[in-house]
Each structure stands twice: as structure tokens, then as C-alpha cells.
Amino acid sequence: MIVLDISVVLTGLPKIHNELGFTDAGLAWVQSAYTLTFGGFLLLGARAGDILGRRRMFVVGMTIFTVASVAIGASQSSAWMLSWRAIQGLGSAILAPTTLALLQTTFDEGEERVRAVSLYSAAAGVSATVGLVVGGLLADWLSWRVGFLINLPIGIATVAAARIYIHETKKRPGTFDLFGAVTSTLGMAAFVYGFIRSAQAGWDVVTLATLIAAVIMLGAFVLIERGAKQPILPLRLFSDSERSGAYGARVLYISAMVGFFFFTTLYLQQVAGLRPALAGLAFVPATMLHVPVAVIVPRLIRRFGRNPVLIVGMLIGIVAMAWLSRAGVGSNYWTAVALPMVLIGISQGLTLSPLTSSGVARVDHADAGAASGAVNVAHQIGSSVGLGVLIAIAAIGSNGLNGIEFPMRSTQEPSC
């Protein structure tokens, strides 16, 4: 639901722009309002599950997300939509890490958990592409609103199923890390906002001041965590080299993947001239082998080890990106876009699951939510910071790319 909605919005933006009267500058905030609260509240949402009970927080997060989705689908103004997109981001910040934490505490470490995480990663990876397809079809044939309203029956069914099938985890007594929660939330929000702004307005004084403030707050957060009795992000999570490496690798890999979705969507619509529905369908090759590959990952890891699987997955991704970068005006879709997309699907299937498993490896059940939060923070930094950096780089050379305009970046105001 979380990943699907992010992709549905991308293909629905032109019609959202027209129906709700967004300015070009305001349209960028349809994504940014969500991203800001999602990234800002991730650590708080993750630790809340450890302390208050993970099933309880899963239900809370799903309820917030579902209610916000319905409100977005019923939007009659841009202000209303942006407000509820921010609230939806809060629901996601609770839901995403709690879901992964529940997998950790439900399945024992080893092959059983690897299999569960593989399916979890496959669902997330495929949803990004399926969202583009579904979003394009809905925007063209029905309405972008349906993509949000459909979350109501799904959300109700999921909450009911959670109450029946998921066992509640024990509450943890003690004090809540209030100062850690405040500094992490403000620091992450400022960090994400700074890079969002850099993609929209460039590296001006406000952008630099925001990023400096973020670094100061996150530095204060680390100092607070060192002395906190029950830290919101235990620094002991980073004492394990495998977990730390997985967080760093996830930031870089997700930066590449978000660039793939963003720039390929622009290419298909602005250069190849495809309608939103066809542009969405054009991403189908990226899903063809993703799930089958993700399903066999546990067997591959058992036979070859986690690191070789990761290395092969990333090398395939590098080859695919290099191949896709050759697409230009008049390029054949099947050879220039579809075939490298197939390789990208294989790369995601081989890479995301091992990165997730390594990010929560050998973590005590009491810290399951915090570790899941760290995985999601790495993912969010890759999405927001990575995209901001890539758009800034692309804008430098955009004069040499005929026909391409970069929608969150211009010399005056963001373009749709």
C-alpha cells in the first residue's frame, strides 16, 4: 500500500494539477509533504512499536494511512490534499518499520526469516512498478482518486486480519526518549526538506541553512542517544559491520533505483511521447522476473552466501543502468528500455532482500523496531537525498538533452 501509493501519485500528477488548481511550485509538494513527514517521523514510529506494542502500532499506522487515503481521494482543494498527504506520511512512518519489526519477531532468524523478508522485499519492489502501471491506467481511464480510495477496503481488511492473526508484543516499561524523538524528528525532517528544496530551488541560502541545521540537530541526536537509558535509536545497532554496511549500501542502491523510476518516467512521457497509461505499462518488464528471483533468493543465499548474491545483483543493476542511459530520441523501446528494465528487475530481486535481512541481522527482539527504523531511514535518505542530488546533476547538463524538462527544478519556479 505504501509503495503503491507513491507510484500512483507520480502518474496522476498532471490531472491532480488541473483538477485541484495547483501552481507549478505547489505540485511538487504533493510528493514532498508526504516524504517530509514520512522521513521525519520514521525513528519515532519505529521505536513506538518497541515500547507500546507492535500490533497496536501497526493498527494505528494502518488506520491513519487509510483515513488519510480516503481524505486525499475526496480532496476538493490543493491545501486539503497537501494536509492529508502529510498525515498519510505520518501513518507510513508508523506502519513501515512496524511491519518489518513484526516479521523479525514472528519468524526466527535463519532461513525462515530470510524467506519472509524476501517476500516482503519482493512486494515492495514490484509495488513501485505496479503503482506506475495502475496509476497511469486509472488516471487515463477513471480518475487518480480511485488509486487512493481503493485503500479503504484494503485497510479495513488488514486491520481486521491483524487483530485476528498477529500476536501482540509485550510493552516495554521505562521512560520514553523524548529529547531523542524531538531531535531525530526535526533533524530528519530538515535533512529531507533541504534536499527536496535543492531539487526545487537550487543550493540557495535557505537550502544550505536548512541542511546545516539538520546536521546540528542530528549531531545533537547522536550525543543524546549515547547517554539515553532507552534510546530511540540504540547506537549498538551500528556496532555490527554487516548491519552498518547494509544501511550504507541501501542508501546508495535506492538512490540509483529512485533515479531509474524518475528519469525513465520523464523519458517515456516527454521524449518518447507516451500517454500516462502507456508510460505505466512500459514499466511492466521491470516486474517480470523480480518476484521469481526474489522467491529463489533464500536458496541462492543458502548455496552461495549473502555477499556473492548481493554483489551479482548490484553488478547486474550497474550494467542495466549503463544500458538504459544510452536511450535517446528515436531509440527503440524494446532494445533501449525494455531489456535493461528486465535486468533492473533481476537486480532488485537479488539485492533488496539480502540488504533488508542484513540490516536486521542478529538484533535482539527488544530492538527489532529500532533496527527496522534504521533500514527505513536508509531507504528514505536514498530516496530523497539521492533523487535531489541526481536531479541537481541532471539539471547541469539538461541544456544538452533535447526536449527534457526537469519537473522539480528550474531557474525560477518548479515546473510540472
Side-chain angles (χ1 to χ4, degrees):
M1 289 174 71
I2 293 171
V3 179
L4 193 78
D5 265 24
I6 294 173
S7 299
V8 163
V9 168
L10 286 176
T11 45
L13 280 177
K15 294 201 173 182
I16 292 172
H17 180 279
N18 294 330
E19 283 190 30
L20 299 184
F22 274 97
T23 63
D24 287 353
L27 189 65
W29 280 99
V30 174
Q31 282 290 64
S32 300
Y34 174 88
T35 303
L36 197 59
T37 51
F38 188 10
F41 286 94
L42 258 175
L43 290 178
L44 182 59
R47 204 50 165 167
D50 288 340
I51 296 173
L52 302 176
R54 296 189 185 102
R55 187 184 73 172
R56 179 177 292 103
M57 295 311 299
F58 176 87
V59 170
V60 168
M62 179 62 73
T63 301
I64 294 172
F65 186 91
T66 303
V67 170
S69 295
V70 174
I72 293 167
S75 295
Q76 297 300 314
S77 69
S78 57
W80 176 274
M81 183 179 195
L82 293 182
S83 298
W84 282 102
R85 278 290 281 171
I87 294 171
Q88 190 183 41
L90 173 62
S92 296
I94 299 170
L95 193 57
T98 305
T99 303
L100 183 54
L102 282 168
L103 289 182
Q104 289 176 252
T105 55
T106 302
F107 299 98
D108 294 331
E109 186 158 8
E111 186 176 347
E112 187 180 44
R113 186 184 294 175
V114 170
R115 189 181 305 116
V117 171
S118 295
L119 293 173
Y120 167 88
S121 300
V126 169
S127 294
T129 307
V130 170
L132 291 171
V133 176
V134 172
L137 293 175
L138 291 177
D140 258 9
W141 296 349
L142 294 174
S143 170
W144 60 268
R145 298 176 187 274
V146 180
F148 291 100
L149 296 176
I150 199 173
N151 286 334
L152 179 60
I154 298 173
I156 292 173
T158 304
V159 168
R163 291 190 173 278
I164 297 171
Y165 295 108
I166 298 177
H167 298 293
E168 183 59 280
T169 55
K170 294 181 180 179
K171 293 183 179 180
R172 294 184 64 197
T175 58
F176 193 73
D177 181 14
L178 180 60
F179 292 110
V182 171
T183 53
S184 68
T185 300
L186 293 177
M188 277 298 298
F191 194 61
V192 172
Y193 174 75
F195 278 93
I196 289 173
R197 183 180 172 80
S198 74
Q200 296 172 352
W203 297 92
D204 60 7
V205 175
V206 176
T207 297
L208 294 174
T210 302
L211 290 174
I212 291 171
V215 171
I216 292 172
M217 282 186 283
L218 291 175
F221 168 68
V222 171
L223 293 176
I224 291 169
E225 297 307 277
R226 291 181 64 181
K229 292 182 179 180
Q230 289 185 318
I232 196 170
L233 181 66
L235 298 184
R236 56 182 173 271
L237 292 176
F238 301 94
S239 62
D240 185 291
S241 59
E242 181 181 350
R243 288 198 297 267
S244 297
Y247 301 147
R250 194 177 193 90
V251 169
L252 296 175
Y253 189 78
I254 295 303
S255 296
M257 287 301 110
V258 74
F260 154 67
F261 283 111
F262 182 84
F263 290 109
T264 306
T265 301
L266 285 181
Y267 170 79
L268 290 171
Q269 294 193 42
Q270 295 188 8
V271 178
L274 300 183
R275 292 173 57 85
L278 288 178
L281 288 171
F283 279 91
V284 168
T287 68
M288 292 172 59
L289 295 179
H290 185 126
V291 173
V293 170
V295 169
I296 66 170
V297 160
R299 275 180 281 172
L300 294 175
I301 290 176
R302 187 170 62 249
R303 181 170 180 179
F304 301 106
R306 190 172 291 167
N307 284 349
V309 172
L310 265 175
I311 291 170
V312 170
M314 290 186 176
L315 287 175
I316 291 174
I318 291 171
V319 171
M321 291 293 187
W323 188 350
L324 191 59
S325 73
R326 307 304 302 166
V329 178
S331 293
N332 181 275
Y333 164 76
W334 296 105
T335 56
V337 180
L339 288 179
M341 276 190 182
V342 172
L343 293 182
I344 286 174
I346 295 173
S347 173
Q348 290 179 341
L350 290 173
T351 305
L352 290 175
S353 172
L355 283 179
T356 303
S357 297
S358 292
V360 297
R362 295 176 296 280
V363 172
D364 187 86
H365 278 195
D367 292 332
S372 302
V375 169
N376 279 278
V377 165
H379 198 106
Q380 189 64 23
I381 290 174
S383 297
S384 56
V385 176
L387 184 58
V389 171
L390 289 174
I391 289 175
I393 293 172
I396 294 172
S398 62
N399 290 334
L401 301 175
N402 295 329
I404 297 182
E405 296 177 4
F406 294 94
M408 291 188 296
R409 173 78 180 217
S410 73
T411 55
Q412 296 182 17
E413 65 176 3
S415 165
C416 68

